[in-house]
Amino acid sequence: MDRAEADDGSLVLLAGRCVEESRKRPIVARTSPLEDWHRFDGVSTSEFIHRILTDREFRPFSMARKVGRPFFEAYR
């Protein structure tokens, strides 16, 4: 079992012996050691990470909520 922990939460990836076996396993994550685990069935690791980084509505895990919308100013 691989485990990543940071101040913002925990993520556990239950890796199997082969790719097909790993796809059948869920991703479980939480935002705090005192919070309940959230289970994500049928979601690949890359899709889960993509949603964390880009989906503002992927609560409570979204990091996109913490970053302001990009804006551009014309160069003068």
Side-chain angles (χ1 to χ4, degrees):
M1 173 170 61
D2 295 329
R3 183 178 180 141
E5 285 194 59
D7 293 335
D8 290 334
S10 299
L11 169 67
V12 176
L13 171 62
L14 302 172
R17 294 183 201 147
C18 66
V19 174
E20 290 301 318
E21 189 176 319
S22 295
R23 286 185 185 151
K24 295 177 185 175
R25 300 195 184 246
I27 294 175
V28 292
R30 63 183 176 184
T31 57
S32 167
L34 301 176
E35 297 292 325
D36 291 334
W37 288 96
H38 297 265
R39 180 180 172 134
F40 299 90
D41 292 308
V43 177
S44 69
T45 304
S46 57
E47 179 184 353
F48 184 77
I49 292 171
H50 174 76
R51 289 189 66 195
I52 288 173
L53 296 174
T54 62
D55 187 351
R56 291 180 168 274
E57 303 303 317
F58 191 55
R59 296 180 185 206
F61 302 103
S62 177
M63 295 183 74
R65 294 182 292 121
K66 298 177 183 179
V67 179
R69 297 243 183 231
F71 67 93
F72 302 94
E73 294 182 9
Y75 178 76
R76 296 179 187 172

